Amino acid sequence: KWSPAREGGQYWSLQLDSGTNPVLLTLSKGGTVTAVIKNDAGAPLKDATVLLYARGLFEPELLEQQLSLMEAWDRTAVNGISDATGAVKLENVPEGVYFPVARLQDHEPVIWPRIRVREGEVTALSDVTLKKRLRGRIQMKLQKFDGTPLKKTRLTISAEYIFEGPRAAVLQQESARLTAYQRMQRAMDNVECEEDGTLKIEDLKPGKYRLMLREAAESTWKFDEVHIDAGKTADLGNARALECGSIKGKALSASGK
């Protein structure tokens, strides 16, 4: 009995019964996919990766988050590297429907419309430009509730990007779901402030964020809306921890005891 090892994947698992199990395999050469990758100036871009994903539904606004998860969980993507002329040629691609993606370190990824690869045919993708990634950062000086500097302390960061436009609610919900999956893969994002309480958060894409910081002693810093501009630093100045309270009470059983 044949069954897909992973939904939408290219690998199958085989269940064998006792005795002889005849298997008939049909081999095919597949199709070919070509593309040309350029930089901001229109010149050929070397060493860019083109990947063909047979599964997934990508959103341009969430592409980096989605690709981060796909790289960790889906090892079946067909891929190729651009040469000195920016050309990429992927051969022996199994027939099927794919989402092509181009990416390169320190550049913004690009996704093409969905394509169908057919046996013995060449599918030429339109030329694409990978733009240099322009990011911003946040800087502040953290203080305890009493106003003294928070010295050399590790903190957990939650930086939630705020989407805008008619699909904002849908994108916000999907981004939160992807973030939860990302945190299952790795430890929470942690940074350490300096001796004078200075904290820097790097590599943030331009836009608006909701920001929350926590440290082990349960001190919390919250910022409802922080604006990040490309290539600039958002200086939040002195940031004092929120005043925390406590809850007291008694735990009662169903009988009231």
Side-chain angles (χ1 to χ4, degrees):
K1 179 182 178 181
W2 288 89
S3 60
R6 180 183 294 178
E7 183 182 354
Q10 300 170 15
Y11 299 95
W12 290 61
S13 60
L14 176 63
Q15 178 181 326
L16 300 177
D17 298 324
S18 59
T20 302
N21 294 263
V23 177
L24 177 64
L25 299 177
T26 301
L27 302 180
S28 64
K29 293 184 178 180
T32 300
V33 176
T34 62
V36 175
I37 316 299
K38 301 178 180 180
N39 62 18
D40 290 352
L45 192 57
K46 187 176 181 292
D47 294 329
T49 301
V50 173
L51 304 104
L52 303 180
Y53 287 103
R55 53 178 293 171
L57 182 61
F58 294 97
E59 295 274 5
E61 299 91 340
L62 303 172
L63 188 55
E64 287 196 67
Q65 275 188 289
Q66 292 173 320
L67 289 177
S68 174
L69 290 171
M70 294 295 281
E71 287 177 355
W73 290 357
D74 188 350
R75 304 293 184 180
T76 66
V78 182
N79 66 84
I81 307 295
S82 63
D83 60 21
T85 68
V88 184
K89 187 176 184 180
L90 292 80
E91 298 180 295
N92 307 121
V93 179
E95 186 167 326
V97 176
Y98 297 89
F99 292 92
V101 173
R103 65 184 316 179
L104 179 63
Q105 186 175 2
D106 297 326
H107 291 71
E108 300 290 350
V110 171
I111 185 168
W112 282 274
R114 186 168 53 179
I115 62 170
R116 176 174 287 279
V117 176
R118 301 185 186 279
E119 176 77 15
E121 296 183 6
V122 176
T123 302
L125 301 175
S126 58
D127 295 359
V128 297
T129 298
L130 294 187
K131 297 180 179 180
K132 272 284 189 180
R133 178 180 287 153
L134 296 176
R135 297 301 172 101
R137 69 176 183 174
I138 295 173
Q139 178 176 299
M140 69 190 82
K141 282 194 174 183
L142 295 176
Q143 298 176 340
K144 300 177 183 179
F145 174 68
D146 61 8
T148 58
L150 184 72
K151 297 182 179 180
K152 212 71 176 172
T153 303
R154 294 199 66 80
L155 302 108
T156 299
I157 299 178
S158 172
E160 180 186 6
Y161 188 84
I162 302 174
F163 293 91
E164 297 179 315
R167 300 186 65 241
V170 174
L171 293 171
Q172 208 75 55
Q173 183 177 16
E174 181 63 12
S175 178
R177 187 182 71 85
L178 293 171
T179 299
Y181 280 126
Q182 288 174 313
R183 286 174 177 168
M184 289 169 59
Q185 292 182 3
R186 63 178 192 269
M188 296 280 284
D189 292 329
N190 291 299
V191 294
E192 185 175 75
C193 64
E194 300 172 10
E195 282 291 341
D196 63 350
T198 298
L199 177 70
K200 297 176 183 178
I201 306 173
E202 308 281 352
D203 198 30
L204 296 171
K205 71 177 183 179
K208 294 190 296 185
Y209 288 83
R210 275 185 286 269
L211 182 65
M212 179 181 291
L213 310 172
R214 293 182 183 274
E215 57 104 0
E218 299 303 324
S219 292
T220 302
W221 295 259
K222 289 180 66 176
F223 306 86
D224 293 330
E225 192 172 293
V226 180
H227 292 259
I228 303 297
D229 294 318
K232 296 183 179 180
T233 299
D235 193 338
L236 305 183
N238 293 327
R240 184 175 294 195
L242 297 175
E243 183 177 6
C244 298
S246 60
I247 298 176
K248 294 182 179 180
K250 293 182 178 180
L252 301 177
S253 65
S255 63
K257 296 182 179 179

